[in-house]
Amino acid sequence: MPTADTPLTTEIPIDGMTCAACAARIGRGLTGLEGVEEANVNYATARAVVSYDPDLVDRAAFRATIEKLGYAVADDDPDDDAADRELAQLTRRLVTSVVLTVPIVAISMVPALGFSGWEWVAGILATPVVWWVGWPFHQVAGRNLAHGSTTMDTLVSMGTGAAWAWSAVALFVDVDHVYFETAAVIVTLILLGRWFEARAKRRSGEAIRSLAGLAARTARLEDGTEVPVDDLQVGMRFVVRPGEKVPVDGLVVDGTSTVDASMITGEPVPVSAGIGDEVVGATINGNGSLTVEATRVGGDTMLAQIMRLVDEAQSSTAPVQRLADRVSAVFVPTALAVAGATLAAWLLTGQPVGEAFTAAVAVLIIACPCALGLATPTAIMVGTGRGASLGVIIKGGEVLEATRQVDHVVLDKTGTVTEGRMELVSVTPAPGADGQVVLCRAASVEALSEHPLAEAIVAAATDLEPATGFENLPGLGVRATVDGAEVLVGRRRLFDEVPDDLLAAVAKAEDAGRTAVVVGWDGTARGVLVIADRVRSTSAAAVTALRDLGLEVTLLTGDNERTARAVGSAVGIDRVLAEVMPDDKDAEVQRLQAQGHVVAMVGDGINDAPALARADLGIAVGTGTDVAIETSDLTIVSGDLRAVADAIVLSRRTLAVIKGNLFWAFAYNTAAIPLAAFGVLNPMIAAGAMGFSSVFVVTNSLRLRRFTGYRRPTATDEDLLIEPERTNA
């Protein structure tokens, strides 16, 4: 039975969180329970991961605590997509709000559109905006107040509610102005920010779903019976035919083949699989039939472990605490206190009730975070839009904060630094042999093979001749008859003697981390074909650009040491780690983080997904797998690694604009609240000033449209370019 020394871990889906402050409140509540060792509440994924002693506490206590705090435990039905439902609901509310708010603003602010009784029309249109569209704000504000806390939702609720209530009263008394448009605009702008948040949250689970989709659904037992993969147990034997997925991890007990393990290793060359070799679930069998004995099933398989690593990394990383949420802990209660003090002071000094209430409402309106509602989403919209035009996809504002302090970049090799596909690099004929004939005959034989090396050879040949009697030689190569000659293509062990010139070519290729294929016929070696995963032409320049930004660079790969060192040398990377598995990549990122580094991981494969999720900033190459892209924070659409430098600079600039927007929004509120309290700003002027602050925020964000990238500075964009940041790390 689990004890305190061996705690259980459970996941709890949560409904009702609207900001990072909600997640922090739930986390504190769960952590305070006896028997809870750790409670990590992730606002982005809307769930809590709790480690606990089952002898002291259980899930019922977790549910009771969450509900006591004013939130709910969601239905954990995988078919019930809460993120989609939330986004759909927000979309309906946002569309309704925009449709109703636009005419309210038009008839309220444009004199030419005014008419007798327009105030009643504005009130009728504003009522559903404030009380239906804005109901989530009022609901959360009420719940928080019931538990003795305040957030920005409190200000939104009280500001919009007060503006609407005062305006409703004003319809029946003689006052100069109503403020229905102010209440409607506040709701619309704040809701726009929430809509962007919901879009980011919906994508948070796509990586896990994509990984799960890689697994085989059924397995074929030795007697031909097909069973669900979930029914497999350790020790059971199953058959994997050519082209099929391996159902679970296992040991080959019969047959020989090649297995495409790029999902795990990231390397494009299939590995040989024979009796006694291990194969991994979800990898793809090549041209031979294999009988495999299951060694790991269910949650113990390599794929399940990768899924667990991705999920753990996404859940264990603390959500980015928004600057607005941190400041609101002080700002919101202060604004409410000032509004109350304003009302009391005016009444105690004998001022008319109407004037006192007007001043208090003006304080609430000027304090309402309208500009804050635009600060983040506008910068994200402009920054991400500009990034997209430069081939850089930024997934959301939350992930940008880490880029300012990134000091270490980890690069995957295959498909990232290299092109990820095998190409024929050179043909070395033996003395007296014709290189074109060597290539032609080799390609004619390999045209009958499905091996990626064969594809590279065939792709390089211009002419092919008919080949007969094709035979695969496991672990050695292939052979067939071409133009009456028995042609052998593969390892040098196929030939009794190999000329010294060809041996030297083989040694040179292997020293450079390339694959050498010997070709011959009639028992004599005739030439050497050198095949390699070509280094991208821009990779060396990209490494230089990253170093210009003050970043350390590490090359991380599942390939062998010799090949990895050769690639590292070609692009200027000294620190190279080779022969690493997915969990090793994840562990290396954790090790660097433990040393105090802020790590950016760049990769393209499924094997990179855990490290991408774990890193402070995950950057996926868009030519890679969907899982890598979905797990990452940034995506480089092309294979040009120089765009990584562009991505980092653009991310930093976007974050700087967001922080500037938030600062000036708060500064404006701080300066304007006293003026409203002393009656200098009536609600009408307050609403106009609030509108000006919003215009300022939007204008500041639009400057990002002129960003041209780290590699393409221009005189007109000097204000947007960031000087290379040097760190002491």
Side-chain angles (χ1 to χ4, degrees):
M1 178 177 294
T3 65
D5 295 328
T6 57
L8 290 180
T9 299
T10 188
E11 295 183 2
I12 307 171
I14 302 173
D15 275 342
M17 292 192 296
T18 61
C19 62
C22 297
R25 186 177 303 115
I26 297 173
R28 289 193 297 268
L30 293 173
T31 304
L33 294 175
E34 183 182 3
V36 174
E37 294 193 358
E38 184 181 10
N40 212 319
V41 184
N42 193 320
Y43 168 59
T45 59
R47 62 182 174 177
V49 179
V50 185
S51 297
Y52 67 101
D53 182 354
D55 293 335
L56 301 175
V57 68
D58 56 18
R59 285 182 62 95
F62 304 152
R63 176 184 288 271
T65 299
I66 293 170
E67 293 176 349
K68 183 179 179 181
L69 292 171
Y71 304 91
V73 176
D75 182 7
D76 200 16
D77 184 353
D79 296 327
D80 189 15
D81 196 336
D84 283 340
R85 293 200 316 273
E86 180 187 7
L87 182 62
Q89 184 183 61
L90 279 172
T91 301
R92 289 194 298 271
R93 292 181 182 273
L94 181 61
V95 171
T96 302
S97 187
V98 171
V99 169
L100 296 177
T101 299
V102 169
I104 297 173
V105 173
I107 63 177
S108 301
M109 307 300 292
V110 182
L113 299 179
F115 53 87
S116 179
W118 68 267
E119 297 93 340
W120 287 91
V121 175
I124 293 172
L125 294 176
T127 298
V129 174
V130 174
W131 299 112
W132 181 75
V133 175
W135 177 246
F137 303 135
H138 305 307
Q139 188 179 37
V140 173
R143 182 169 59 207
N144 289 332
L145 287 174
H147 291 86
S149 62
T150 59
T151 64
M152 282 299 173
D153 286 326
T154 308
L155 274 184
V156 174
S157 176
M158 298 192 68
T160 56
W164 182 91
W166 177 251
S167 300
V169 173
L171 292 176
F172 300 95
V173 301
D174 186 19
V175 297
D176 294 333
H177 195 72
V178 295
Y179 307 105
F180 290 120
E181 78 284 354
T182 301
V185 167
I186 291 173
V187 170
T188 302
L189 293 177
I190 301 299
L191 195 65
L192 178 64
R194 297 289 171 84
W195 185 78
F196 280 106
E197 283 186 6
R199 287 186 63 192
K201 287 173 63 178
R202 186 182 64 169
R203 291 195 296 265
S204 64
E206 291 182 356
I208 300 297
R209 290 193 293 269
S210 296
L211 282 170
L214 296 173
R217 303 298 182 212
T218 62
R220 182 176 291 100
L221 302 181
E222 287 184 296
D223 60 3
T225 305
E226 279 199 20
V227 298
V229 169
D230 293 340
D231 292 346
L232 286 178
Q233 298 180 4
V234 174
M236 296 179 65
R237 294 186 176 185
F238 53 86
V239 177
V240 188
R241 296 185 300 189
E244 292 182 340
K245 289 183 178 179
V246 179
V248 297
D249 301 357
L251 195 69
V252 178
V253 296
D254 188 35
T256 59
S257 183
T258 57
V259 177
D260 181 0
S262 58
M263 183 222 31
I264 302 298
T265 65
E267 306 310 313
V269 180
V271 296
S272 299
I275 297 175
D277 292 329
E278 293 184 354
V279 290
V280 177
T283 57
I284 301 174
N285 186 26
N287 53 10
S289 181
L290 298 175
T291 301
V292 182
E293 182 176 302
T295 56
R296 291 189 295 270
V297 299
D300 296 328
T301 63
M302 177 72 75
L303 179 63
Q305 293 177 26
I306 293 176
M307 292 173 59
R308 190 158 51 247
L309 286 169
V310 173
D311 187 51
E312 176 189 338
Q314 290 182 334
S315 300
S316 63
T317 302
V320 176
Q321 183 67 48
R322 296 180 183 274
L323 180 59
D325 289 323
R326 295 197 295 268
V327 177
S328 69
V330 176
F331 179 80
V332 175
T334 301
L336 294 175
V338 172
T342 298
L343 178 62
W346 280 69
L347 293 176
L348 291 174
T349 56
Q351 302 297 323
V353 175
E355 293 183 10
F357 193 76
T358 296
V361 171
V363 171
L364 287 175
I365 292 175
I366 207 71
C368 223
C370 189
L372 289 175
L374 288 172
T376 298
T378 56
I380 292 175
M381 279 193 299
V382 179
T384 54
R386 183 57 182 149
S389 66
L390 296 174
V392 177
I393 306 299
I394 304 173
K395 288 194 174 181
E398 296 89 349
V399 305
L400 301 180
E401 189 168 351
T403 62
R404 182 175 61 87
Q405 298 177 340
V406 165
D407 60 15
H408 204 114
V409 178
V410 178
L411 298 175
D412 173 54
K413 180 181 73 69
T414 306
T416 303
V417 176
T418 66
E419 294 181 354
R421 56 187 177 90
M422 307 304 288
E423 291 185 348
L424 180 67
V425 176
S426 65
V427 179
T428 302
D434 188 328
Q436 289 295 326
V437 175
V438 170
L439 177 59
C440 175
R441 291 193 170 185
S444 299
V445 175
E446 294 286 17
L448 302 175
S449 174
E450 299 177 350
H451 199 284
L453 294 180
E455 295 178 3
I457 296 172
V458 173
T462 56
D463 296 310
L464 297 178
E465 297 182 10
T468 59
F470 176 85
E471 182 181 359
N472 182 45
L473 306 173
L476 295 175
V478 294
R479 66 182 173 192
T481 300
V482 179
D483 194 23
E486 185 182 67
V487 180
L488 296 172
V489 183
R491 299 181 183 271
R492 59 182 174 180
R493 287 184 294 168
L494 286 171
F495 304 90
D496 295 331
E497 294 185 8
V498 179
D500 291 341
D501 290 350
L502 297 188
L503 288 175
V506 171
K508 181 180 179 181
E510 291 178 346
D511 289 340
R514 296 173 172 177
T515 300
V517 177
V518 181
V519 183
W521 52 88
D522 298 332
T524 304
R526 309 284 181 164
V528 172
L529 309 181
V530 178
I531 301 169
D533 182 8
R534 191 181 299 274
V535 176
R536 296 184 189 274
S537 60
T538 57
S539 293
V543 172
T544 301
L546 293 172
R547 286 178 171 165
D548 287 344
L549 290 170
L551 309 176
E552 298 179 40
V553 184
T554 294
L555 184 65
L556 202 62
T557 178
D559 208 348
N560 64 77
E561 181 79 18
R562 187 166 50 190
T563 300
R565 291 288 177 188
V567 173
S569 176
V571 299
I573 301 176
D574 298 326
R575 189 171 186 271
V576 178
L577 299 179
E579 300 178 7
V580 294
M581 300 297 284
D583 54 344
D584 297 322
K585 293 185 178 183
D586 179 57
E588 175 62 16
V589 172
Q590 291 189 69
R591 190 188 67 80
L592 290 171
Q593 291 172 328
Q595 293 179 350
H597 293 289
V598 180
V599 182
M601 172 70 191
V602 187
D604 74 313
I606 296 169
N607 61 306
D608 302 320
L612 286 168
R614 179 76 60 184
D616 300 282
L617 181 69
I619 303 176
V621 178
T623 53
T625 64
D626 291 340
V627 173
I629 294 171
E630 291 158 0
T631 307
S632 66
D633 304 316
L634 304 176
T635 299
I636 308 303
V637 176
S638 69
D640 189 346
L641 269 186
R642 293 177 296 175
V644 173
D646 285 349
I648 292 176
V649 175
L650 179 59
S651 311
R652 290 175 176 178
R653 186 59 187 172
T654 303
L655 179 65
V657 169
I658 290 173
K659 290 189 172 183
N661 288 345
L662 293 174
F663 171 79
W664 286 111
F666 277 118
Y668 147 80
N669 282 44
T670 303
I673 286 176
L675 298 178
F678 286 103
V680 178
L681 297 178
N682 61 36
M684 178 68 176
I685 299 175
M690 185 180 63
F692 175 79
S693 70
S694 300
V695 172
F696 172 83
V697 166
V698 172
T699 303
N700 189 46
S701 299
L702 288 175
R703 294 192 302 129
L704 289 168
R705 295 175 61 184
R706 295 183 289 138
F707 179 82
T708 57
Y710 178 83
R711 293 170 288 140
R712 298 171 291 275
T714 65
T716 59
D717 295 315
E718 286 185 358
D719 62 320
L720 293 176
L721 295 176
I722 299 176
E723 291 294 322
E725 296 186 8
R726 302 290 178 181
T727 67
N728 295 323

